[in-house]
Structures are given as structure tokens and as C-alpha cells.
Amino acid sequence: MEVLNMVLPIVLYLLGAFLMVVLIILGIKLIGIADRANLLMDDLESKAKSLNGFFHIIDTMTDTLSFISDKFVNGLTSIITGLFHNNSNKRKKEREDYE
């Protein structure tokens, strides 16, 4: 029993020291991983900023094309409406002349 009382604390101290060393090593590796992740995020952010001009050009082009197509459709619609409106006015005049 006396041997167990002497050996057990020594074993616990050794296991605790081993656990402490493992946790320190894991903490150091985690710090390294976090640093690499920060570098990667900074690199991705700089690349995304370099593409902002390209996306701005595309956005401006799509807005311009949308504006042109809206004007075209409105013009075409007004022409077609004008054609049908003129025909209906002619028919009304023909009816009035007939009466």
C-alpha cells in the first residue's frame, strides 16, 4: 500500500506533464494555422479588390444594355399602339361619315 501511495502521485505528475506538453504543442500549431489562414484571407481580399473594377465594368455594361433594350421596347410598343390607334380612329371616322 505504501508503494502505491508513492508511485501513484509520480505517475499522475508524469501524465499531467505529458498532457501539458501536448497541449502546448497543439496550441503552437493552432497559432501557426491561424497565421496561415490570415495570410490566405488577406491574399483573397486583395484579389477580390483587384476584380472590383472588372465587375464595375460589367455592371455598367448591363445597365446600359438594359436601358437600351427598355427604350427599344418602349419605342416598338408606341409604334404598334400608334398603328392600332390610327386604325381605330379611321374606323370611327368611317362610321361617322356613313351615318
Side-chain angles (χ1 to χ4, degrees):
M1 196 68 154
E2 286 181 28
V3 174
L4 188 61
N5 285 337
M6 289 175 54
V7 173
L8 191 57
I10 294 172
V11 170
L12 288 177
Y13 289 141
L14 288 175
L15 287 176
F18 177 73
L19 181 62
M20 190 70 97
V21 169
V22 169
L23 288 176
I24 289 172
I25 292 171
L26 287 176
I28 291 170
K29 288 191 182 254
L30 262 169
I31 290 171
I33 290 171
D35 287 341
R36 281 185 270 150
N38 282 337
L39 289 174
L40 179 67
M41 292 301 289
D42 290 341
D43 186 42
L44 289 176
E45 186 177 338
S46 67
K47 287 180 181 179
K49 283 182 181 178
S50 70
L51 291 175
N52 279 345
F54 177 69
F55 289 133
H56 180 69
I57 291 171
I58 290 176
D59 187 40
T60 304
M61 288 176 57
T62 55
D63 289 344
T64 304
L65 289 175
S66 176
F67 177 75
I68 291 170
S69 67
D70 286 346
K71 288 294 182 182
F72 177 74
V73 169
N74 285 338
L76 190 62
T77 304
S78 65
I79 290 171
I80 292 173
T81 304
L83 289 174
F84 286 117
H85 186 66
N86 287 338
N87 287 339
S88 64
N89 284 341
K90 288 180 183 178
R91 288 182 187 154
K92 286 181 184 177
K93 285 183 181 178
E94 288 176 1
R95 287 183 193 156
E96 289 175 359
D97 290 341
Y98 181 72
E99 292 176 353

